[in-house]
Amino acid sequence: MSAPTLIAPRRRVEIPVPDLTPWLAGNAGLPGFWTVAGAQPGPHTAITALVHGNEIAGALVLVRLLERGITPLRGRLSLGFANLDAFARFDPANPTASRYVDEDLNRIWCRAVLDGGTETSELRRARAMRPLIDTVDVLLDLHSMLWESEPLLIAGQPEKGRKLALAVGVPPLVVGDEGHSGGRRLIDYRPFADPGSPRVAILVEAGQHWVPETVETMAATVARLLLATGQIDAQGAARLTEAPLDAGPVRLAQVTRTVTAQTNEFAFVHPYRGGDIVRGRNTLIALDGETEIRTPHDDCLLVMPSLRTCRGHTAVRLARLIDPIPA
């Protein structure tokens, strides 16, 4: 079976490129990171954007929080623009080119890698971020997607991540997974991934890059998170977004297989969209060179299929919808 003709993903930038000039210095001893404290004791919550330098929707949300002077009712709130070097290269005429400088900043959050001798732009930034990240109790990492997909919250492997994501509930799809073979994400950093630690991190994939709807979904996710931590009230949430904060029933899915491309000839047999459900077990969905990729079970949810992918990169995560655990 030959691969279908693919429609190229959206490349038009329909949102403004954020002006980070007023925010580059930071106030937390780390360029691009701002921390504000509430009057009452509480958790230290961090919200990060621009882990990938071309995902500018998250930066627009953080600028909104900073410009509107959002202060937590309790605890601390840190807002961080992560990969400033990659973002500095962002060009609306070629918006996919500034994802990173040397390597993916969201694949290096392993102590052995952080403590190793390799020097890259992203490792220098991660090492600079690490002391602040090591003080965080709750983290939300803001992301968007190239290929068309249903927005979702990624909770990682620990049950605590799933519980937090279900409590946030916007977007209303929560996916538990074990990450990528290519390296650990920020939410997989050991203090967050350790089931014996109360510290917790989740990631939102809020929609396609560079569209207004994605910005508003992210803002609603941030509002719901800060409501869940008790750091804002309904009035504070209304200052963040006019988007609906109740998206309806929340679905939980658990990844059963992460498909990593073994060749540069990986191709899906249909132009799938993230969130599609393949009803039958053993259905052929892709070819990796001459190897068939088939669904491992009935009602298989396709999580963020990358319709063009290279050897060694995640092509798709296959998941099973399950009953939500109590929040």
Side-chain angles (χ1 to χ4, degrees):
M1 178 182 293
S2 60
T5 300
L6 297 179
I7 299 173
R10 179 194 307 269
R11 294 180 183 272
R12 187 158 50 99
V13 177
E14 301 175 13
I15 56 178
V17 178
D19 179 9
L20 299 189
T21 305
W23 314 111
L24 291 177
N27 72 344
L30 177 65
F33 274 76
W34 291 79
T35 295
V36 289
Q40 302 297 323
H44 180 193
T45 297
I47 303 170
T48 49
L50 291 179
V51 165
H52 296 131
N54 65 328
E55 296 183 14
I56 63 174
L60 288 170
V61 172
L62 294 197
V63 168
R64 183 184 300 183
L65 269 75
L66 290 163
E67 289 180 340
R68 297 181 185 181
I70 301 297
T71 300
L73 300 174
R74 64 191 192 100
R76 294 167 58 199
L77 175 62
S78 292
L79 308 174
F81 304 99
N83 200 336
L84 292 174
D85 287 348
F87 171 71
R89 302 180 176 196
F90 183 77
D91 179 0
N94 187 18
T96 61
S98 55
R99 181 175 171 87
Y100 53 79
V101 177
D102 297 317
E103 62 179 323
D104 194 327
L105 181 57
N106 218 28
R107 298 291 184 273
I108 58 177
W109 288 91
C110 168
R111 290 179 178 176
V113 174
L114 293 172
D115 293 337
T118 303
E119 287 290 333
T120 67
S121 174
E122 279 72 24
L123 273 169
R124 286 191 294 272
R125 184 60 169 167
R127 288 165 182 154
M129 290 169 56
R130 187 179 182 183
L132 186 145
I133 297 298
D134 280 339
T135 70
V136 169
D137 300 303
V138 179
L139 182 136
L140 171 64
D141 194 16
L142 304 179
H143 288 264
S144 55
M145 299 176 274
L146 180 63
W147 296 96
E148 187 176 353
S149 177
E150 181 177 349
L152 67 154
L153 289 160
I154 295 181
Q157 190 172 11
E159 182 176 323
K160 61 185 178 180
R162 294 194 294 272
K163 287 184 175 181
L164 175 61
L166 288 167
V168 172
V170 176
L173 173 61
V174 173
V175 175
D177 74 350
E178 296 185 357
H180 299 274
S181 63
R184 290 187 182 178
R185 303 165 297 196
L186 179 54
I187 67 167
D188 303 320
Y189 183 47
R190 185 175 296 179
F192 301 127
D194 181 359
S197 167
R199 300 172 62 193
V200 60
I202 59 175
L203 180 158
V204 64
E205 295 281 3
Q208 280 191 282
H209 301 326
W210 318 311
V211 297
E213 296 85 357
T214 297
V215 177
E216 293 310 317
T217 296
M218 282 184 182
T221 303
V222 169
R224 284 292 298 253
L225 175 81
L226 296 177
L227 285 168
T229 61
Q231 292 177 284
I232 62 170
D233 54 18
Q235 184 177 4
R239 292 178 63 200
L240 282 178
T241 180
E242 297 179 358
L245 296 183
D246 183 2
V250 183
R251 297 177 298 158
L252 174 64
Q254 180 61 44
V255 170
T256 55
R257 181 185 176 191
T258 298
V259 179
T260 302
Q262 302 302 310
T263 73
N264 289 322
E265 288 75 46
F266 191 102
F268 288 91
V269 299
H270 296 292
Y272 290 109
R273 176 183 184 275
D276 284 351
I277 294 176
V278 179
R279 293 299 178 188
R281 177 184 177 275
N282 204 37
T283 300
L284 177 67
I285 60 169
L287 295 170
D288 191 358
E290 296 183 358
T291 301
E292 295 184 346
I293 308 297
R294 294 180 175 270
T295 53
H297 47 76
D298 292 341
D299 298 326
C300 185
L301 176 72
L302 305 187
V303 178
M304 296 176 60
S306 178
L307 300 189
R308 291 193 183 113
T309 194
C310 300
R311 182 176 181 270
H313 290 258
T314 300
V316 65
R317 281 159 278 188
L318 308 178
R320 189 193 305 272
L321 288 164
I322 57 179
D323 292 331
I325 58 177

